[in-house]
C-alpha cells in the first residue's frame, strides 16, 4: 500500500508549510491535487493520513482531493489531449512518442488553518 508513504510525505510537507509563530496551529482542510495515474486510492490515503497525522496539527484535517486528468503531448505533431482510455498514442498523427504533461502529480495546493 503505497498510500502510507504518500501520507507520510504529505504530513511532513504540510507541517513545514504551516507559518511560524502560530500557537497550537490546527489544519482544517488540506487541498490536494492528485493525478489519475498516480494510482492513489482515496479511502486508503484518507485512512493512512489519519494514522500518520495523529498528534500533529493535521490530526483533524480533512483531505480535499482534486483528481487531475491525464494529459499527453505528442512529440511529433505537438498536439496535447486528455486521455480517457488506455490508448497512449497520438489521436492526430498516431505517433506513439508522447510525453506526459499531467496525471502523475501528488501535490498540496493549499492548506486551510482553523481560526481559534
Ligand atoms: Zn501527433
Amino acid at each position: 500500500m503505497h498510500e502510507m508513504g504518500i501520507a507520510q510525505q504529505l504530513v511532513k510537507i504540510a507541517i513545514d508549510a504551516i507559518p511560524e509563530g502560530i500557537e497550537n496551529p490546527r489544519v482544517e482542510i488540506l487541498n490536494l491535487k492528485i493525478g489519475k495515474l498516480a494510482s492513489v486510492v482515496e479511502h486508503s490515503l484518507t485512512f493512512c493520513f489519519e494514522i500518520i497525522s495523529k498528534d500533529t496539527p493535521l490530526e483533524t484535517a480533512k483531505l480535499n482531493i482534486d483528481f487531475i486528468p491525464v494529459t499527453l503531448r505528442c512529440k511529433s505533431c505537438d498536439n496535447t489531449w486528455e486521455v480517457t482510455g488506455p490508448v497512449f498514442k497520438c489521436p492526430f498523427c498516431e505517433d506513439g512518442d508522447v510525453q506526459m504533461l499531467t496525471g502523475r502529480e501528488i501535490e498540496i495546493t493549499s492548506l486551510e488553518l482553523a481560526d481559534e
Side-chain angles (χ1 to χ4, degrees), residues 74-79 81 90-95:
C74 175
K75 289 181 187 170
S76 303
C77 70
D78 208 35
N79 265 304
W81 70 100
C90 177
F92 305 98
C93 72
E94 304 212 317
D95 202 287

Side-chain angles (χ1 to χ4, degrees), residues 70 72 81-91 94-96 98:
V70 181
L72 300 180
W81 70 100
E82 191 175 302
V83 179
T84 47
V87 182
F88 280 62
K89 209 161 76 165
C90 177
E94 304 212 317
D95 202 287
V98 296

Side-chain angles (χ1 to χ4, degrees), residues 26-54:
R26 195 165 63 81
V27 177
E28 204 162 45
I29 299 165
L30 192 60
N31 292 307
L32 303 174
K33 205 163 77 172
I34 295 181
K36 283 188 176 158
L37 272 191
S39 37
V40 171
V41 179
E42 186 167 1
H43 71 254
S44 304
L45 182 62
T46 310
F47 175 76
C48 296
F49 183 82
E50 277 172 17
I51 296 169
I52 293 174
S53 64
K54 210 175 175 334

